[in-house]
Amino acid sequence: MADTVVDTRRLHSKPQNLNDAYGPPSNFLEIDVSNPQTVGVGRNRYTTYEVRLKTNLPIFKLKESCVRRRYSDFEWLRSELERESKVVVPPLPGKALFRQLPFRGDEGIFDESFIEERKQGLEQFINKVAGHPLAQNERCLHMFLQDEIIDRNYTPSKIRQA
């Protein structure tokens, strides 16, 4: 058996100063889905979620934004990304068809525990999507995160970095 020598020397790295350790990160993208609100009555009842973005990535025109989105808006974004980009788009949390049946004895899709579970799933979805470098170039993602109203008649295109 041949003797192998393992090199255990450390790589030489530059010493870290306080600004490097505790300053703002060089690139960050934070997206929170929070503050669910159920509005409407009967068949026109739905839940909206606050989608809050904070970033210093140059591709985004606004460094902070806050918009309200419905589940159907997340579905729109997913279908646009699947149609227009080369990104493998993660699944959305389930549609919960069983919860929409009448005479269930609970609030169905408006039950607090379901809304909380869906909110967490939507936050995971949007963070995976927005964290993908190719998805960050898609106009539909920028509209979803930063425009108050989504223009569903937009012309799909790429965002050019400023």
Side-chain angles (χ1 to χ4, degrees):
M1 243 161 99
D3 290 325
T4 57
V5 177
V6 178
D7 187 1
T8 59
R9 290 177 293 166
R10 289 187 164 220
L11 295 174
H12 294 290
S13 60
K14 85 174 192 151
Q16 193 175 39
N17 64 32
L18 286 176
N19 284 340
D20 293 339
Y22 296 104
S26 55
N27 283 325
F28 73 92
L29 175 66
E30 296 173 9
I31 303 172
D32 297 318
V33 177
S34 61
N35 194 16
Q37 292 178 356
T38 300
V39 295
V41 182
R43 305 223 9 101
N44 294 324
R45 192 174 179 197
Y46 58 91
T47 302
T48 63
Y49 303 86
E50 187 176 278
V51 179
R52 186 176 297 274
L53 165 83
K54 287 184 180 179
T55 187
N56 66 355
L57 294 175
I59 192 84
F60 290 97
K61 67 182 180 207
L62 301 174
K63 300 309 168 199
E64 288 189 25
S65 64
C66 182
V67 294
R68 291 208 72 81
R69 296 289 180 247
R70 303 172 58 161
Y71 182 83
S72 59
D73 296 328
F74 284 87
E75 288 180 313
W76 171 84
L77 175 63
R78 186 173 194 282
S79 69
E80 288 298 302
L81 288 170
E82 283 181 328
R83 187 168 56 105
E84 294 301 327
S85 73
K86 293 177 177 41
V87 176
V88 176
V89 186
L92 281 165
K95 193 75 170 139
L97 295 174
F98 179 71
R99 283 188 166 272
Q100 295 177 29
L101 295 174
F103 313 114
R104 282 184 36 96
D106 66 5
E107 288 285 317
I109 61 171
F110 302 108
D111 185 67
E112 278 186 37
S113 63
F114 174 74
I115 289 174
E116 179 60 29
E117 192 178 301
R118 179 175 268 184
K119 177 182 77 75
Q120 291 173 3
L122 293 173
E123 186 170 299
Q124 288 175 345
F125 166 81
I126 195 63
N127 274 287
K128 283 180 184 173
V129 166
H132 195 292
L134 292 176
Q136 290 173 3
N137 293 321
E138 296 296 331
R139 187 160 176 239
C140 58
L141 177 66
H142 289 252
M143 283 184 355
F144 179 88
L145 290 171
Q146 300 192 313
D147 292 357
E148 198 63 42
I149 297 169
I150 295 174
D151 175 12
R152 295 185 188 236
N153 297 319
Y154 84 111
T155 304
S157 62
K158 305 286 185 215
I159 300 292
R160 303 281 181 247
Q161 200 159 331

mmCIF file with all atom_site columns, all heavy atoms in Angstrom, residues 139-153:
data_model
loop_
_atom_site.group_PDB
_atom_site.id
_atom_site.type_symbol
_atom_site.label_atom_id
_atom_site.label_alt_id
_atom_site.label_comp_id
_atom_site.label_asym_id
_atom_site.label_entity_id
_atom_site.label_seq_id
_atom_site.pdbx_PDB_ins_code
_atom_site.Cartn_x
_atom_site.Cartn_y
_atom_site.Cartn_z
_atom_site.occupancy
_atom_site.B_iso_or_equiv
_atom_site.pdbx_formal_charge
_atom_site.auth_seq_id
_atom_site.auth_comp_id
_atom_site.auth_asym_id
_atom_site.auth_atom_id
_atom_site.pdbx_PDB_model_num
ATOM 1   N N   . ARG A 1 139 ? -39.248 40.004 -16.643 1.00 0.00 ? 139 ARG A N   1
ATOM 2   C CA  . ARG A 1 139 ? -40.088 41.167 -16.356 1.00 0.00 ? 139 ARG A CA  1
ATOM 3   C C   . ARG A 1 139 ? -41.284 40.806 -15.472 1.00 0.00 ? 139 ARG A C   1
ATOM 4   O O   . ARG A 1 139 ? -41.697 41.569 -14.608 1.00 0.00 ? 139 ARG A O   1
ATOM 5   C CB  . ARG A 1 139 ? -40.557 41.785 -17.675 1.00 0.00 ? 139 ARG A CB  1
ATOM 6   C CG  . ARG A 1 139 ? -41.294 43.079 -17.476 1.00 0.00 ? 139 ARG A CG  1
ATOM 7   C CD  . ARG A 1 139 ? -41.306 43.901 -18.757 1.00 0.00 ? 139 ARG A CD  1
ATOM 8   N NE  . ARG A 1 139 ? -42.118 45.082 -18.529 1.00 0.00 ? 139 ARG A NE  1
ATOM 9   C CZ  . ARG A 1 139 ? -43.195 45.383 -19.230 1.00 0.00 ? 139 ARG A CZ  1
ATOM 10  N NH1 . ARG A 1 139 ? -43.577 44.603 -20.218 1.00 0.00 ? 139 ARG A NH1 1
ATOM 11  N NH2 . ARG A 1 139 ? -43.872 46.464 -18.959 1.00 0.00 ? 139 ARG A NH2 1
ATOM 12  N N   . CYS A 1 140 ? -41.846 39.606 -15.675 1.00 0.00 ? 140 CYS A N   1
ATOM 13  C CA  . CYS A 1 140 ? -43.020 39.208 -14.887 1.00 0.00 ? 140 CYS A CA  1
ATOM 14  C C   . CYS A 1 140 ? -42.681 39.124 -13.395 1.00 0.00 ? 140 CYS A C   1
ATOM 15  O O   . CYS A 1 140 ? -43.512 39.486 -12.549 1.00 0.00 ? 140 CYS A O   1
ATOM 16  C CB  . CYS A 1 140 ? -43.598 37.885 -15.385 1.00 0.00 ? 140 CYS A CB  1
ATOM 17  S SG  . CYS A 1 140 ? -42.465 36.487 -15.364 1.00 0.00 ? 140 CYS A SG  1
ATOM 18  N N   . LEU A 1 141 ? -41.475 38.689 -13.047 1.00 0.00 ? 141 LEU A N   1
ATOM 19  C CA  . LEU A 1 141 ? -41.075 38.632 -11.634 1.00 0.00 ? 141 LEU A CA  1
ATOM 20  C C   . LEU A 1 141 ? -40.989 40.040 -11.057 1.00 0.00 ? 141 LEU A C   1
ATOM 21  O O   . LEU A 1 141 ? -41.457 40.292 -9.947  1.00 0.00 ? 141 LEU A O   1
ATOM 22  C CB  . LEU A 1 141 ? -39.743 37.911 -11.466 1.00 0.00 ? 141 LEU A CB  1
ATOM 23  C CG  . LEU A 1 141 ? -39.214 37.874 -10.034 1.00 0.00 ? 141 LEU A CG  1
ATOM 24  C CD1 . LEU A 1 141 ? -40.124 37.033 -9.137  1.00 0.00 ? 141 LEU A CD1 1
ATOM 25  C CD2 . LEU A 1 141 ? -37.786 37.349 -9.983  1.00 0.00 ? 141 LEU A CD2 1
ATOM 26  N N   . HIS A 1 142 ? -40.432 40.965 -11.799 1.00 0.00 ? 142 HIS A N   1
ATOM 27  C CA  . HIS A 1 142 ? -40.315 42.355 -11.338 1.00 0.00 ? 142 HIS A CA  1
ATOM 28  C C   . HIS A 1 142 ? -41.687 42.985 -11.145 1.00 0.00 ? 142 HIS A C   1
ATOM 29  O O   . HIS A 1 142 ? -41.923 43.687 -10.162 1.00 0.00 ? 142 HIS A O   1
ATOM 30  C CB  . HIS A 1 142 ? -39.460 43.174 -12.307 1.00 0.00 ? 142 HIS A CB  1
ATOM 31  C CG  . HIS A 1 142 ? -38.015 42.807 -12.249 1.00 0.00 ? 142 HIS A CG  1
ATOM 32  N ND1 . HIS A 1 142 ? -37.070 43.622 -11.682 1.00 0.00 ? 142 HIS A ND1 1
ATOM 33  C CD2 . HIS A 1 142 ? -37.356 41.698 -12.652 1.00 0.00 ? 142 HIS A CD2 1
ATOM 34  C CE1 . HIS A 1 142 ? -35.884 43.029 -11.746 1.00 0.00 ? 142 HIS A CE1 1
ATOM 35  N NE2 . HIS A 1 142 ? -36.040 41.858 -12.335 1.00 0.00 ? 142 HIS A NE2 1
ATOM 36  N N   . MET A 1 143 ? -42.601 42.734 -12.087 1.00 0.00 ? 143 MET A N   1
ATOM 37  C CA  . MET A 1 143 ? -43.961 43.255 -11.940 1.00 0.00 ? 143 MET A CA  1
ATOM 38  C C   . MET A 1 143 ? -44.619 42.661 -10.699 1.00 0.00 ? 143 MET A C   1
ATOM 39  O O   . MET A 1 143 ? -45.259 43.371 -9.929  1.00 0.00 ? 143 MET A O   1
ATOM 40  C CB  . MET A 1 143 ? -44.807 42.909 -13.171 1.00 0.00 ? 143 MET A CB  1
ATOM 41  C CG  . MET A 1 143 ? -44.514 43.779 -14.344 1.00 0.00 ? 143 MET A CG  1
ATOM 42  S SD  . MET A 1 143 ? -45.557 43.510 -15.810 1.00 0.00 ? 143 MET A SD  1
ATOM 43  C CE  . MET A 1 143 ? -46.567 42.139 -15.453 1.00 0.00 ? 143 MET A CE  1
ATOM 44  N N   . PHE A 1 144 ? -44.467 41.361 -10.514 1.00 0.00 ? 144 PHE A N   1
ATOM 45  C CA  . PHE A 1 144 ? -45.085 40.683 -9.377  1.00 0.00 ? 144 PHE A CA  1
ATOM 46  C C   . PHE A 1 144 ? -44.584 41.258 -8.053  1.00 0.00 ? 144 PHE A C   1
ATOM 47  O O   . PHE A 1 144 ? -45.360 41.487 -7.131  1.00 0.00 ? 144 PHE A O   1
ATOM 48  C CB  . PHE A 1 144 ? -44.790 39.182 -9.442  1.00 0.00 ? 144 PHE A CB  1
ATOM 49  C CG  . PHE A 1 144 ? -45.370 38.409 -8.288  1.00 0.00 ? 144 PHE A CG  1
ATOM 50  C CD1 . PHE A 1 144 ? -46.663 37.920 -8.350  1.00 0.00 ? 144 PHE A CD1 1
ATOM 51  C CD2 . PHE A 1 144 ? -44.624 38.181 -7.147  1.00 0.00 ? 144 PHE A CD2 1
ATOM 52  C CE1 . PHE A 1 144 ? -47.205 37.223 -7.283  1.00 0.00 ? 144 PHE A CE1 1
ATOM 53  C CE2 . PHE A 1 144 ? -45.155 37.482 -6.080  1.00 0.00 ? 144 PHE A CE2 1
ATOM 54  C CZ  . PHE A 1 144 ? -46.452 36.999 -6.146  1.00 0.00 ? 144 PHE A CZ  1
ATOM 55  N N   . LEU A 1 145 ? -43.279 41.500 -7.958  1.00 0.00 ? 145 LEU A N   1
ATOM 56  C CA  . LEU A 1 145 ? -42.684 41.948 -6.695  1.00 0.00 ? 145 LEU A CA  1
ATOM 57  C C   . LEU A 1 145 ? -42.791 43.447 -6.460  1.00 0.00 ? 145 LEU A C   1
ATOM 58  O O   . LEU A 1 145 ? -42.811 43.883 -5.310  1.00 0.00 ? 145 LEU A O   1
ATOM 59  C CB  . LEU A 1 145 ? -41.201 41.552 -6.639  1.00 0.00 ? 145 LEU A CB  1
ATOM 60  C CG  . LEU A 1 145 ? -40.913 40.070 -6.490  1.00 0.00 ? 145 LEU A CG  1
ATOM 61  C CD1 . LEU A 1 145 ? -39.425 39.804 -6.661  1.00 0.00 ? 145 LEU A CD1 1
ATOM 62  C CD2 . LEU A 1 145 ? -41.414 39.549 -5.150  1.00 0.00 ? 145 LEU A CD2 1
ATOM 63  N N   . GLN A 1 146 ? -42.874 44.256 -7.528  1.00 0.00 ? 146 GLN A N   1
ATOM 64  C CA  . GLN A 1 146 ? -42.710 45.687 -7.326  1.00 0.00 ? 146 GLN A CA  1
ATOM 65  C C   . GLN A 1 146 ? -43.831 46.569 -7.865  1.00 0.00 ? 146 GLN A C   1
ATOM 66  O O   . GLN A 1 146 ? -43.921 47.724 -7.472  1.00 0.00 ? 146 GLN A O   1
ATOM 67  C CB  . GLN A 1 146 ? -41.364 46.132 -7.910  1.00 0.00 ? 146 GLN A CB  1
ATOM 68  C CG  . GLN A 1 146 ? -40.203 45.409 -7.237  1.00 0.00 ? 146 GLN A CG  1
ATOM 69  C CD  . GLN A 1 146 ? -38.861 46.005 -7.562  1.00 0.00 ? 146 GLN A CD  1
ATOM 70  O OE1 . GLN A 1 146 ? -38.546 46.292 -8.710  1.00 0.00 ? 146 GLN A OE1 1
ATOM 71  N NE2 . GLN A 1 146 ? -38.059 46.209 -6.539  1.00 0.00 ? 146 GLN A NE2 1
ATOM 72  N N   . ASP A 1 147 ? -44.676 46.069 -8.738  1.00 0.00 ? 147 ASP A N   1
ATOM 73  C CA  . ASP A 1 147 ? -45.759 46.899 -9.276  1.00 0.00 ? 147 ASP A CA  1
ATOM 74  C C   . ASP A 1 147 ? -47.028 46.672 -8.467  1.00 0.00 ? 147 ASP A C   1
ATOM 75  O O   . ASP A 1 147 ? -47.395 45.532 -8.196  1.00 0.00 ? 147 ASP A O   1
ATOM 76  C CB  . ASP A 1 147 ? -46.034 46.567 -10.744 1.00 0.00 ? 147 ASP A CB  1
ATOM 77  C CG  . ASP A 1 147 ? -44.886 46.981 -11.658 1.00 0.00 ? 147 ASP A CG  1
ATOM 78  O OD1 . ASP A 1 147 ? -43.907 47.568 -11.157 1.00 0.00 ? 147 ASP A OD1 1
ATOM 79  O OD2 . ASP A 1 147 ? -44.968 46.696 -12.862 1.00 0.00 ? 147 ASP A OD2 1
ATOM 80  N N   . GLU A 1 148 ? -47.695 47.747 -8.127  1.00 0.00 ? 148 GLU A N   1
ATOM 81  C CA  . GLU A 1 148 ? -48.924 47.654 -7.324  1.00 0.00 ? 148 GLU A CA  1
ATOM 82  C C   . GLU A 1 148 ? -49.972 46.790 -8.031  1.00 0.00 ? 148 GLU A C   1
ATOM 83  O O   . GLU A 1 148 ? -50.621 45.962 -7.425  1.00 0.00 ? 148 GLU A O   1
ATOM 84  C CB  . GLU A 1 148 ? -49.470 49.073 -7.075  1.00 0.00 ? 148 GLU A CB  1
ATOM 85  C CG  . GLU A 1 148 ? -50.444 49.153 -5.939  1.00 0.00 ? 148 GLU A CG  1
ATOM 86  C CD  . GLU A 1 148 ? -49.856 48.797 -4.580  1.00 0.00 ? 148 GLU A CD  1
ATOM 87  O OE1 . GLU A 1 148 ? -48.722 49.212 -4.277  1.00 0.00 ? 148 GLU A OE1 1
ATOM 88  O OE2 . GLU A 1 148 ? -50.541 48.083 -3.833  1.00 0.00 ? 148 GLU A OE2 1
ATOM 89  N N   . ILE A 1 149 ? -50.124 47.007 -9.342  1.00 0.00 ? 149 ILE A N   1
ATOM 90  C CA  . ILE A 1 149 ? -51.090 46.249 -10.136 1.00 0.00 ? 149 ILE A CA  1
ATOM 91  C C   . ILE A 1 149 ? -50.327 45.487 -11.218 1.00 0.00 ? 149 ILE A C   1
ATOM 92  O O   . ILE A 1 149 ? -49.483 46.057 -11.917 1.00 0.00 ? 149 ILE A O   1
ATOM 93  C CB  . ILE A 1 149 ? -52.125 47.194 -10.785 1.00 0.00 ? 149 ILE A CB  1
ATOM 94  C CG1 . ILE A 1 149 ? -52.925 47.899 -9.685  1.00 0.00 ? 149 ILE A CG1 1
ATOM 95  C CG2 . ILE A 1 149 ? -53.039 46.433 -11.730 1.00 0.00 ? 149 ILE A CG2 1
ATOM 96  C CD1 . ILE A 1 149 ? -53.790 49.032 -10.184 1.00 0.00 ? 149 ILE A CD1 1
ATOM 97  N N   . ILE A 1 150 ? -50.626 44.197 -11.350 1.00 0.00 ? 150 ILE A N   1
ATOM 98  C CA  . ILE A 1 150 ? -49.965 43.374 -12.368 1.00 0.00 ? 150 ILE A CA  1
ATOM 99  C C   . ILE A 1 150 ? -50.653 43.605 -13.708 1.00 0.00 ? 150 ILE A C   1
ATOM 100 O O   . ILE A 1 150 ? -51.864 43.452 -13.824 1.00 0.00 ? 150 ILE A O   1
ATOM 101 C CB  . ILE A 1 150 ? -50.037 41.880 -11.998 1.00 0.00 ? 150 ILE A CB  1
ATOM 102 C CG1 . ILE A 1 150 ? -49.247 41.610 -10.720 1.00 0.00 ? 150 ILE A CG1 1
ATOM 103 C CG2 . ILE A 1 150 ? -49.502 41.020 -13.138 1.00 0.00 ? 150 ILE A CG2 1
ATOM 104 C CD1 . ILE A 1 150 ? -49.386 40.199 -10.195 1.00 0.00 ? 150 ILE A CD1 1
ATOM 105 N N   . ASP A 1 151 ? -49.864 43.987 -14.710 1.00 0.00 ? 151 ASP A N   1
ATOM 106 C CA  . ASP A 1 151 ? -50.378 44.164 -16.062 1.00 0.00 ? 151 ASP A CA  1
ATOM 107 C C   . ASP A 1 151 ? -50.315 42.809 -16.768 1.00 0.00 ? 151 ASP A C   1
ATOM 108 O O   . ASP A 1 151 ? -49.273 42.407 -17.270 1.00 0.00 ? 151 ASP A O   1
ATOM 109 C CB  . ASP A 1 151 ? -49.529 45.206 -16.813 1.00 0.00 ? 151 ASP A CB  1
ATOM 110 C CG  . ASP A 1 151 ? -49.944 45.351 -18.264 1.00 0.00 ? 151 ASP A CG  1
ATOM 111 O OD1 . ASP A 1 151 ? -51.025 44.832 -18.637 1.00 0.00 ? 151 ASP A OD1 1
ATOM 112 O OD2 . ASP A 1 151 ? -49.185 45.984 -19.018 1.00 0.00 ? 151 ASP A OD2 1
ATOM 113 N N   . ARG A 1 152 ? -51.436 42.108 -16.794 1.00 0.00 ? 152 ARG A N   1
ATOM 114 C CA  . ARG A 1 152 ? -51.455 40.765 -17.383 1.00 0.00 ? 152 ARG A CA  1
ATOM 115 C C   . ARG A 1 152 ? -51.383 40.798 -18.903 1.00 0.00 ? 152 ARG A C   1
ATOM 116 O O   . ARG A 1 152 ? -51.241 39.764 -19.540 1.00 0.00 ? 152 ARG A O   1
ATOM 117 C CB  . ARG A 1 152 ? -52.681 40.004 -16.895 1.00 0.00 ? 152 ARG A CB  1
ATOM 118 C CG  . ARG A 1 152 ? -52.571 39.779 -15.394 1.00 0.00 ? 152 ARG A CG  1
ATOM 119 C CD  . ARG A 1 152 ? -53.665 38.937 -14.844 1.00 0.00 ? 152 ARG A CD  1
ATOM 120 N NE  . ARG A 1 152 ? -53.577 38.931 -13.396 1.00 0.00 ? 152 ARG A NE  1
ATOM 121 C CZ  . ARG A 1 152 ? -53.482 37.848 -12.660 1.00 0.00 ? 152 ARG A CZ  1
ATOM 122 N NH1 . ARG A 1 152 ? -53.457 36.678 -13.230 1.00 0.00 ? 152 ARG A NH1 1
ATOM 123 N NH2 . ARG A 1 152 ? -53.406 37.921 -11.348 1.00 0.00 ? 152 ARG A NH2 1
ATOM 124 N N   . ASN A 1 153 ? -51.448 41.980 -19.493 1.00 0.00 ? 153 ASN A N   1
ATOM 125 C CA  . ASN A 1 153 ? -51.316 42.130 -20.940 1.00 0.00 ? 153 ASN A CA  1
ATOM 126 C C   . ASN A 1 153 ? -49.916 42.611 -21.332 1.00 0.00 ? 153 ASN A C   1
ATOM 127 O O   . ASN A 1 153 ? -49.726 43.118 -22.434 1.00 0.00 ? 153 ASN A O   1
ATOM 128 C CB  . ASN A 1 153 ? -52.371 43.116 -21.470 1.00 0.00 ? 153 ASN A CB  1
ATOM 129 C CG  . ASN A 1 153 ? -53.772 42.608 -21.246 1.00 0.00 ? 153 ASN A CG  1
ATOM 130 O OD1 . ASN A 1 153 ? -54.043 41.426 -21.421 1.00 0.00 ? 153 ASN A OD1 1
ATOM 131 N ND2 . ASN A 1 153 ? -54.656 43.494 -20.823 1.00 0.00 ? 153 ASN A ND2 1
#
